[in-house]
Amino acid sequence: MNITTQSIQFKADKKLIDFIQRRVDKLDQFFDQIIAGECYLKLENVEDEANKITEFKLNIPGNQLFAKGRAKSFEEATDLAIESLRRQVNKHKTKTRTKVSHHKEVLVEAQQEAFG
């Protein structure tokens, strides 16, 4: 899956962009229907050391997932955001499976009533 990376008010180096791409590619193991993704890298002007923010938007069928990570480095912030996206993807898969499996139960009950 391709992800568009934008760094706001600074220039991100190739290593960081490759790191982000590798991390996002691992999400395909959990859900292979990810359509597209966007990544925003920001530097925040605060006195705190954790001033690096990574935000992700992922488009999946019927939904859009968002995650934000904040840490001392962009790599740590990316890991935090990707972990959050992984949990959201798993939750989305569980919800869609529950709806589909419940739909099958309703069909079976309807068929039994019609033929029984």
Side-chain angles (χ1 to χ4, degrees):
M1 173 202 36
N2 282 334
I3 186 158
T4 307
T5 304
Q6 296 180 5
S7 51
I8 299 171
Q9 297 181 348
F10 74 98
K11 177 107 171 95
D13 63 340
K14 182 79 171 135
K15 279 184 174 181
L16 180 59
I17 294 172
D18 290 342
F19 175 82
I20 291 169
Q21 184 66 48
R22 281 194 314 271
R23 291 291 193 235
V24 170
D25 286 342
K26 289 185 179 182
L27 287 175
D28 283 337
Q29 296 173 353
F30 301 103
F31 192 64
D32 59 352
Q33 297 178 1
I34 298 172
I35 299 168
E38 298 175 15
C39 173
Y40 300 98
L41 304 172
K42 299 178 185 178
L43 279 172
E44 199 173 50
N45 278 341
V46 293
E47 294 179 14
D48 189 15
E49 287 182 11
N51 64 343
K52 295 173 179 67
I53 299 172
T54 304
E55 295 178 349
F56 286 98
K57 283 186 199 176
L58 286 185
N59 294 323
I60 59 175
N63 209 350
Q64 184 178 43
L65 305 178
F66 179 82
K68 183 176 183 179
R70 180 177 178 169
K72 293 180 182 179
S73 71
F74 283 115
E75 288 82 2
E76 288 179 58
T78 298
D79 286 339
L80 292 171
I82 292 292
E83 180 60 27
S84 176
L85 284 174
R86 186 189 63 75
R87 287 192 303 268
Q88 290 180 44
V89 163
N90 283 336
K91 186 174 182 179
H92 177 76
K93 274 184 12 181
T94 304
K95 280 184 176 181
T96 55
R97 283 185 186 158
T98 303
K99 288 179 184 174
V100 170
S101 65
H102 181 66
H103 180 68
K104 288 179 183 176
E105 291 171 8
V106 170
L107 285 176
V108 169
E109 289 175 6
Q111 286 176 348
Q112 288 176 349
E113 290 176 5
F115 295 115

